[in-house]
Coordinates of all heavy atoms in Angstrom, one line a residue:
M68 N 9.5 19.9 51.6 CA 10.7 20.2 51.7 C 11.0 20.4 53.3 O 12.1 20.0 53.7 CB 11.2 21.5 51.0 CG 12.5 21.8 51.0 SD 13.5 20.8 49.9 CE 14.8 21.7 49.8
A69 N 10.0 20.9 53.9 CA 10.2 21.1 55.4 C 10.3 19.8 56.2 O 11.1 19.8 57.0 CB 9.3 22.0 56.0
A70 N 9.8 18.8 55.8 CA 9.7 17.5 56.4 C 11.1 16.8 56.2 O 11.6 16.4 57.2 CB 8.5 16.6 56.0
S71 N 11.6 16.9 55.0 CA 12.8 16.3 54.8 C 14.0 17.0 55.5 O 15.0 16.4 56.0 CB 13.2 16.2 53.2 OG 13.2 17.5 52.7
S72 N 13.9 18.3 55.6 CA 14.9 19.2 56.4 C 14.8 18.7 57.8 O 15.8 18.6 58.5 CB 14.6 20.6 56.2 OG 15.5 21.3 56.9
T73 N 13.6 18.6 58.3 CA 13.5 18.2 59.7 C 14.2 16.9 60.0 O 14.8 16.6 61.0 CB 12.0 18.3 60.2 OG1 11.5 19.5 60.0 CG2 11.8 17.8 61.6
L74 N 13.9 15.9 59.1 CA 14.5 14.5 59.3 C 16.0 14.5 59.2 O 16.7 14.0 60.0 CB 14.0 13.7 58.2 CG 12.4 13.2 58.4 CD1 12.0 12.3 57.2 CD2 12.3 12.3 59.7
R75 N 16.5 15.4 58.2 CA 17.9 15.3 58.1 C 18.5 16.1 59.3 O 19.6 15.7 59.9 CB 18.3 16.3 56.9 CG 18.3 15.5 55.6 CD 19.0 16.2 54.6 NE 18.7 17.7 54.5 CZ 17.6 18.2 53.7 NH1 16.9 17.3 53.1 NH2 17.4 19.5 53.7
Q76 N 18.0 17.2 59.9 CA 18.5 17.9 60.9 C 18.3 17.2 62.4 O 19.2 17.2 63.3 CB 17.9 19.3 61.1 CG 18.4 20.2 60.0 CD 17.7 21.5 60.0 OE1 16.7 21.8 60.8 NE2 18.0 22.5 59.1
G77 N 17.3 16.4 62.4 CA 17.0 15.6 63.6 C 18.1 14.5 63.8 O 18.2 14.1 64.9
A78 N 18.5 13.9 62.6 CA 19.4 12.7 62.6 C 20.8 13.2 62.6 O 21.8 12.3 62.5 CB 19.1 11.9 61.4
T79 N 21.1 14.6 62.7 CA 22.4 15.1 62.6 C 22.9 15.7 63.8 O 22.1 16.4 64.6 CB 22.7 16.1 61.4 OG1 22.2 15.6 60.3 CG2 24.0 16.6 61.3
P80 N 24.0 15.3 64.3 CA 24.6 15.9 65.6 C 24.6 17.5 65.4 O 24.9 18.0 64.3 CB 25.9 15.3 65.8 CG 25.9 14.0 65.0 CD 25.0 14.3 63.9
D81 N 24.6 18.3 66.5 CA 24.5 19.7 66.4 C 25.8 20.3 65.8 O 25.8 21.1 64.9 CB 24.4 20.3 67.8 CG 23.0 20.2 68.4 OD1 22.1 19.9 67.5 OD2 22.8 20.3 69.5
E82 N 27.0 19.6 66.0 CA 28.2 20.1 65.6 C 28.4 20.0 64.1 O 29.4 20.4 63.4 CB 29.4 19.5 66.3 CG 29.6 18.0 66.2 CD 28.8 17.3 67.3 OE1 28.0 17.9 68.1 OE2 29.0 16.0 67.5
L83 N 27.6 19.0 63.4 CA 27.7 18.8 62.0 C 26.6 19.3 61.2 O 26.5 19.1 60.1 CB 27.7 17.3 61.8 CG 29.0 16.6 62.5 CD1 28.7 15.0 62.2 CD2 30.2 17.0 61.8
L84 N 25.7 20.1 61.8 CA 24.5 20.7 61.1 C 24.9 21.5 59.9 O 24.3 21.4 58.8 CB 23.5 21.5 62.0 CG 22.7 20.6 62.9 CD1 22.0 21.4 63.9 CD2 21.6 19.7 62.1
G85 N 26.0 22.5 60.1 CA 26.3 23.2 59.0 C 26.9 22.5 57.9 O 26.6 22.7 56.8
R86 N 27.6 21.6 58.2 CA 28.3 20.7 57.1 C 27.3 19.9 56.3 O 27.3 19.6 55.1 CB 29.3 19.7 57.7 CG 30.5 20.5 58.1 CD 31.5 19.6 58.7 NE 32.7 20.4 59.2 CZ 33.8 20.0 59.8 NH1 33.8 18.6 60.0 NH2 34.8 20.7 60.2
M87 N 26.3 19.5 57.2 CA 25.2 18.6 56.5 C 24.3 19.4 55.5 O 24.2 19.0 54.5 CB 24.3 18.0 57.6 CG 23.1 17.1 57.1 SD 21.5 18.0 56.6 CE 21.2 18.8 58.1
N88 N 24.0 20.6 56.0 CA 23.3 21.6 55.1 C 24.1 21.9 53.8 O 23.5 22.0 52.7 CB 22.8 22.8 55.8 CG 21.6 22.5 56.6 OD1 20.8 21.7 56.3 ND2 21.5 23.1 57.9
A89 N 25.4 22.2 54.0 CA 26.3 22.6 52.9 C 26.5 21.4 51.9 O 26.4 21.7 50.8 CB 27.7 23.0 53.4
T90 N 26.6 20.3 52.4 CA 26.7 19.1 51.6 C 25.4 18.8 50.9 O 25.5 18.5 49.6 CB 27.1 17.9 52.4 OG1 28.3 18.2 53.0 CG2 27.2 16.7 51.7
F91 N 24.3 18.9 51.5 CA 23.0 18.7 50.8 C 22.9 19.8 49.7 O 22.5 19.3 48.7 CB 21.9 18.8 51.8 CG 20.6 18.5 51.2 CD1 20.1 17.3 50.9 CD2 19.7 19.6 50.9 CE1 18.9 17.0 50.2 CE2 18.5 19.4 50.3 CZ 18.1 18.1 50.0
R92 N 23.1 21.0 49.8 CA 23.0 21.9 48.9 C 23.9 21.7 47.7 O 23.6 22.0 46.6 CB 23.3 23.4 49.5 CG 22.1 23.9 50.3 CD 22.4 25.4 50.8 NE 21.3 25.9 51.5 CZ 20.4 26.7 50.9 NH1 20.6 27.1 49.7 NH2 19.4 27.1 51.6
F93 N 25.2 21.3 48.1 CA 26.2 21.1 47.1 C 25.7 19.9 46.1 O 25.7 20.0 44.9 CB 27.5 20.7 47.6 CG 28.5 20.2 46.7 CD1 29.1 21.1 45.9 CD2 28.9 18.9 46.6 CE1 30.2 20.7 45.1 CE2 29.8 18.4 45.6 CZ 30.4 19.4 44.8
L94 N 25.2 18.8 46.7 CA 24.6 17.6 46.0 C 23.4 18.1 45.2 O 23.2 17.5 44.0 CB 24.4 16.5 47.0 CG 25.7 15.8 47.6 CD1 25.2 14.8 48.6 CD2 26.5 15.3 46.6
L95 N 22.5 18.8 45.8 CA 21.3 19.2 45.1 C 21.6 20.1 43.9 O 21.1 19.9 42.7 CB 20.3 20.0 46.0 CG 19.1 20.5 45.4 CD1 18.2 19.4 44.9 CD2 18.3 21.4 46.3
T96 N 22.6 21.0 44.0 CA 22.9 21.9 43.0 C 23.7 21.1 41.8 O 23.4 21.4 40.7 CB 23.9 23.0 43.4 OG1 23.1 23.8 44.5 CG2 24.1 24.0 42.4
G97 N 24.5 20.2 42.3 CA 25.0 19.3 41.2 C 24.1 18.5 40.5 O 24.4 18.3 39.2
A98 N 23.2 17.9 41.1 CA 22.2 17.1 40.4 C 21.4 18.0 39.5 O 21.1 17.4 38.3 CB 21.3 16.5 41.5
L99 N 21.0 19.2 39.8 CA 20.3 20.1 39.0 C 21.2 20.4 37.7 O 20.6 20.4 36.7 CB 20.0 21.4 39.6 CG 18.8 21.3 40.8 CD1 18.8 22.6 41.3 CD2 17.6 20.9 40.1
T100 N 22.5 20.7 37.9 CA 23.3 20.9 36.8 C 23.4 19.7 35.9 O 23.3 19.9 34.7 CB 24.8 21.3 37.3 OG1 24.6 22.3 38.2 CG2 25.6 21.7 36.2
I101 N 23.7 18.5 36.4 CA 23.7 17.3 35.5 C 22.4 17.1 34.9 O 22.5 16.7 33.6 CB 24.2 16.1 36.4 CG1 25.6 16.2 36.9 CG2 23.9 14.8 35.6 CD1 26.0 15.2 37.9
G102 N 21.4 17.3 35.5 CA 20.0 17.1 34.9 C 19.8 18.1 33.7 O 19.3 17.7 32.6
A103 N 20.3 19.3 33.9 CA 20.2 20.4 32.9 C 21.0 19.9 31.6 O 20.6 20.1 30.4 CB 20.5 21.7 33.3
V104 N 22.3 19.6 31.9 CA 23.1 19.1 30.8 C 22.5 17.9 29.9 O 22.5 18.0 28.8 CB 24.5 18.8 31.3 CG1 25.4 18.1 30.2 CG2 25.1 20.0 31.9
L105 N 22.0 16.9 30.8 CA 21.5 15.7 30.2 C 20.2 16.2 29.3 O 19.9 15.6 28.2 CB 21.1 14.7 31.1 CG 22.2 14.0 31.8 CD1 21.8 13.1 32.8 CD2 23.2 13.2 30.8
A106 N 19.3 17.0 29.8 CA 18.2 17.5 29.0 C 18.6 18.1 27.8 O 18.0 18.0 26.7 CB 17.4 18.3 29.9
G107 N 19.6 19.0 27.9 CA 20.2 19.7 26.8 C 20.6 18.8 25.7 O 20.3 19.0 24.5
V108 N 21.5 17.8 26.1 CA 22.0 16.9 25.1 C 20.8 16.0 24.6 O 20.8 15.8 23.3 CB 23.0 15.9 25.9 CG1 23.4 14.7 25.0 CG2 24.2 16.7 26.3
L109 N 19.9 15.6 25.3 CA 18.8 14.8 24.8 C 18.0 15.6 23.9 O 17.6 15.1 22.8 CB 18.0 14.3 26.0 CG 16.8 13.3 25.7 CD1 17.4 12.0 24.9 CD2 16.0 12.9 26.9
G110 N 17.8 16.9 24.2 CA 17.0 17.8 23.4 C 17.7 18.1 22.0 O 17.1 18.2 20.9
Q111 N 19.0 18.2 22.1 CA 19.8 18.4 20.8 C 19.9 17.2 20.0 O 19.8 17.4 18.8 CB 21.3 18.8 21.4 CG 22.2 19.0 20.1 CD 21.9 20.3 19.5 OE1 21.6 21.2 20.1 NE2 22.2 20.4 18.1
Y112 N 20.0 15.9 20.4 CA 20.3 14.9 19.7 C 19.0 14.1 19.3 O 19.0 13.4 18.5 CB 21.4 14.0 20.2 CG 22.7 14.6 20.1 CD1 23.4 15.1 21.2 CD2 23.3 14.9 18.9 CE1 24.5 15.7 21.2 CE2 24.6 15.5 18.9 CZ 25.2 15.9 19.9 OH 26.4 16.6 19.9
A113 N 18.1 14.2 20.1 CA 16.7 13.5 19.9 C 15.9 14.7 19.5 O 16.1 15.3 18.5 CB 16.2 12.8 21.2
T114 N 14.8 14.9 20.2 CA 13.8 16.0 19.9 C 13.5 16.6 21.4 O 13.7 16.0 22.3 CB 12.5 15.6 19.3 OG1 11.9 14.7 20.0 CG2 12.8 14.9 18.0
V115 N 13.1 17.9 21.3 CA 12.6 18.5 22.4 C 11.5 17.8 23.0 O 11.3 17.6 24.3 CB 12.2 19.9 22.2 CG1 11.6 20.6 23.4 CG2 13.5 20.7 21.7
R116 N 10.6 17.2 22.3 CA 9.5 16.5 22.8 C 10.0 15.2 23.6 O 9.3 14.8 24.6 CB 8.4 16.0 21.7 CG 7.3 15.2 22.2 CD 6.4 15.0 20.9 NE 6.1 16.2 20.2 CZ 4.8 16.6 20.0 NH1 3.8 15.9 20.3 NH2 4.6 17.7 19.4
T117 N 10.9 14.5 23.0 CA 11.5 13.4 23.8 C 12.0 13.8 25.1 O 11.9 13.1 26.1 CB 12.5 12.7 22.9 OG1 12.0 12.3 21.7 CG2 13.1 11.5 23.5
A118 N 12.8 14.8 25.1 CA 13.4 15.4 26.3 C 12.3 15.7 27.4 O 12.5 15.3 28.5 CB 14.2 16.6 26.0
L119 N 11.2 16.3 26.9 CA 10.1 16.6 27.9 C 9.4 15.3 28.4 O 9.1 15.2 29.5 CB 9.0 17.4 27.1 CG 9.5 18.9 26.8 CD1 8.5 19.6 26.1 CD2 9.7 19.7 28.2
V120 N 9.3 14.3 27.6 CA 8.7 13.0 27.9 C 9.5 12.3 28.9 O 9.1 11.9 29.9 CB 8.3 12.1 26.6 CG1 7.9 10.7 27.1 CG2 7.2 12.9 25.9
V121 N 10.8 12.3 28.6 CA 11.8 11.5 29.5 C 11.8 12.3 31.0 O 11.8 11.7 31.9 CB 13.1 11.5 29.0 CG1 14.3 11.1 29.9 CG2 13.1 10.7 27.7
G122 N 11.8 13.8 30.8 CA 11.9 14.4 32.0 C 10.6 14.2 32.8 O 10.7 14.2 34.0
A123 N 9.4 14.2 32.2 CA 8.1 13.9 32.9 C 8.1 12.6 33.5 O 7.7 12.4 34.7 CB 6.9 14.1 31.9
A124 N 8.6 11.5 32.7 CA 8.6 10.1 33.3 C 9.6 10.1 34.6 O 9.3 9.4 35.5 CB 9.0 9.2 32.3
A125 N 10.6 10.8 34.4 CA 11.5 10.7 35.5 C 11.0 11.5 36.9 O 11.1 11.0 38.0 CB 12.9 11.4 35.2
N126 N 10.3 12.6 36.5 CA 9.7 13.4 37.6 C 8.6 12.5 38.2 O 8.4 12.5 39.4 CB 9.2 14.6 37.0 CG 9.0 15.7 38.1 OD1 9.4 15.5 39.2 ND2 8.1 16.6 37.9
A127 N 7.9 11.8 37.4 CA 6.7 10.9 37.9 C 7.2 9.8 38.8 O 6.5 9.3 39.6 CB 6.0 10.4 36.8
L128 N 8.5 9.4 38.8 CA 9.1 8.4 39.5 C 9.8 8.7 40.8 O 10.3 7.8 41.5 CB 9.8 7.5 38.6 CG 9.3 6.7 37.4 CD1 10.3 6.1 36.5 CD2 8.1 5.9 37.9
T129 N 9.7 10.0 41.1 CA 10.6 10.4 42.1 C 10.1 10.0 43.6 O 10.8 10.1 44.5 CB 10.7 12.0 42.1 OG1 9.4 12.6 42.2 CG2 11.5 12.5 40.9
W130 N 9.0 9.5 43.6 CA 8.3 9.2 44.8 C 8.7 7.8 45.3 O 8.7 7.4 46.4 CB 6.7 9.2 44.9 CG 6.2 8.3 43.7 CD1 5.9 8.6 42.4 CD2 5.8 7.0 43.9 NE1 5.5 7.5 41.7 CE2 5.4 6.6 42.6 CE3 5.8 6.1 45.0 CZ2 4.9 5.3 42.4 CZ3 5.2 4.8 44.7 CH2 4.9 4.4 43.5
L131 N 9.2 6.9 44.2 CA 9.7 5.7 44.6 C 10.7 5.4 45.6 O 10.6 4.6 46.5 CB 10.2 4.9 43.3 CG 9.1 4.6 42.3 CD1 9.5 4.1 41.0 CD2 8.0 3.6 43.1
P132 N 11.9 6.2 45.7 CA 12.9 6.0 46.8 C 12.3 6.2 48.2 O 12.6 5.5 49.1 CB 13.9 7.0 46.5 CG 13.8 7.3 45.1 CD 12.3 7.1 44.6
V133 N 11.4 7.2 48.3 CA 10.8 7.5 49.7 C 9.7 6.3 49.9 O 9.7 5.8 51.1 CB 10.1 8.7 49.7 CG1 9.4 9.0 51.0 CG2 11.2 9.9 49.5
F134 N 9.1 5.8 48.9 CA 8.1 4.9 49.2 C 8.7 3.5 49.7 O 8.2 2.8 50.5 CB 7.3 4.5 47.9 CG 6.2 3.5 48.1 CD1 5.0 3.8 48.7 CD2 6.3 2.3 47.6 CE1 4.0 3.0 49.0 CE2 5.3 1.3 47.8 CZ 4.1 1.6 48.5
F135 N 9.9 3.2 49.2 CA 10.5 1.9 49.6 C 11.5 2.0 50.7 O 12.2 1.2 50.9 CB 11.2 1.3 48.3 CG 10.2 0.8 47.3 CD1 10.1 1.3 46.1 CD2 9.4 -0.3 47.6 CE1 9.1 0.9 45.2 CE2 8.5 -0.8 46.8 CZ 8.3 -0.2 45.5
S136 N 11.6 3.2 51.3 CA 12.6 3.4 52.4 C 11.8 3.3 53.7 O 10.6 3.5 53.8 CB 13.2 4.8 52.3 OG 12.3 5.8 52.6
P137 N 12.6 3.2 54.7 CA 12.1 3.3 56.1 C 11.3 4.5 56.5 O 10.6 4.6 57.4 CB 13.1 2.9 57.1 CG 14.4 2.8 56.2 CD 14.1 3.0 54.9
L138 N 11.6 5.7 55.7 CA 11.0 6.9 56.1 C 9.4 6.8 56.2 O 8.8 7.6 56.8 CB 11.5 8.0 55.1 CG 12.8 8.4 55.2 CD1 13.3 9.4 54.1 CD2 13.2 9.1 56.6
R139 N 8.9 6.0 55.3 CA 7.4 6.0 55.2 C 6.9 5.5 56.4 O 5.6 5.9 56.7 CB 7.1 4.9 54.0 CG 5.8 5.0 53.5 CD 5.6 4.2 52.3 NE 6.1 2.8 52.5 CZ 5.2 1.8 52.5 NH1 3.9 2.1 52.8 NH2 5.7 0.6 52.6
T140 N 7.5 4.6 57.1 CA 6.9 4.1 58.4 C 7.4 4.8 59.7 O 7.1 4.4 60.7 CB 7.1 2.6 58.6 OG1 8.5 2.4 58.5 CG2 6.4 1.9 57.4
L141 N 8.1 6.0 59.5 CA 8.7 6.7 60.7 C 7.6 7.4 61.3 O 6.7 8.1 60.9 CB 9.8 7.7 60.1 CG 10.7 8.3 61.2 CD1 11.5 7.2 61.7 CD2 11.5 9.3 60.4
D142 N 7.5 7.2 62.8 CA 6.5 7.8 63.6 C 6.9 9.3 63.9 O 6.0 10.1 64.0 CB 6.2 7.0 64.9 CG 5.5 5.7 64.6 OD1 4.9 5.5 63.5 OD2 5.6 4.8 65.4
R143 N 8.1 9.5 64.3 CA 8.5 10.8 64.7 C 9.9 11.0 64.3 O 10.6 10.0 63.9 CB 8.5 11.0 66.2 CG 9.3 9.9 67.0 CD 9.1 10.1 68.6 NE 7.8 9.9 68.9 CZ 7.4 8.6 69.5 NH1 8.4 7.7 69.6 NH2 6.2 8.4 69.7
P144 N 10.3 12.3 64.3 CA 11.7 12.4 63.7 C 12.8 12.0 64.6 O 12.5 11.8 65.7 CB 11.8 14.0 63.8 CG 10.4 14.5 63.8 CD 9.7 13.5 64.4
P145 N 13.8 11.4 64.1 CA 14.9 10.8 64.8 C 15.5 11.8 65.8 O 15.5 13.0 65.3 CB 15.9 10.3 63.7 CG 15.6 11.1 62.6 CD 14.2 11.5 62.6
T146 N 16.1 11.4 66.7 CA 16.8 12.2 67.7 C 18.2 11.8 67.8 O 18.6 10.5 67.6 CB 16.2 12.3 69.1 OG1 16.2 11.0 69.6 CG2 14.7 12.8 69.0
V147 N 19.2 12.6 68.1 CA 20.6 12.4 68.3 C 20.8 12.2 69.7 O 20.5 13.1 70.5 CB 21.5 13.5 67.7 CG1 22.9 13.2 68.1 CG2 21.1 13.7 66.3
D148 N 21.3 11.0 70.1 CA 21.5 10.8 71.5 C 22.9 11.2 72.0 O 23.8 11.3 71.3 CB 21.3 9.3 71.9 CG 19.8 8.9 71.6 OD1 19.1 9.7 71.9 OD2 19.7 7.7 71.2

């Protein structure tokens, strides 16, 4: 988590750091809420086991966006000029 925060803050101008952190927290909280609702609906209409398997599969694939992004080959954090 610290590395991603460093990358976000390094690429953001100083006057926008507060807005960037607030926006990130808003999006993260929203994603957690949507995921909880989807898991509840899946557990209700399928089975709890199915919800757990789908959640585990989704969690196992979370590394793919970073793997295919330019962040993987980044030598040092970006700087704002």
Side-chain angles (χ1 to χ4, degrees):
M68 185 75 162
S71 63
S72 177
T73 300
L74 288 171
R75 281 193 314 270
Q76 291 176 354
T79 305
D81 289 340
E82 62 272 7
L83 296 177
L84 280 174
R86 289 181 182 174
M87 181 273 303
N88 282 326
T90 302
F91 181 77
R92 283 181 177 261
F93 175 77
L94 292 174
L95 178 65
T96 305
L99 291 173
T100 305
I101 291 169
V104 169
L105 291 176
V108 168
L109 187 60
Q111 177 72 31
Y112 292 108
T114 63
V115 174
R116 184 176 303 234
T117 303
L119 288 172
V120 169
V121 169
N126 196 22
L128 299 175
T129 58
W130 60 275
L131 285 173
V133 175
F134 183 76
F135 290 112
S136 77
L138 291 176
R139 195 168 53 94
T140 57
L141 195 62
D142 291 337
R143 61 182 64 98
T146 58
V147 178
D148 295 328

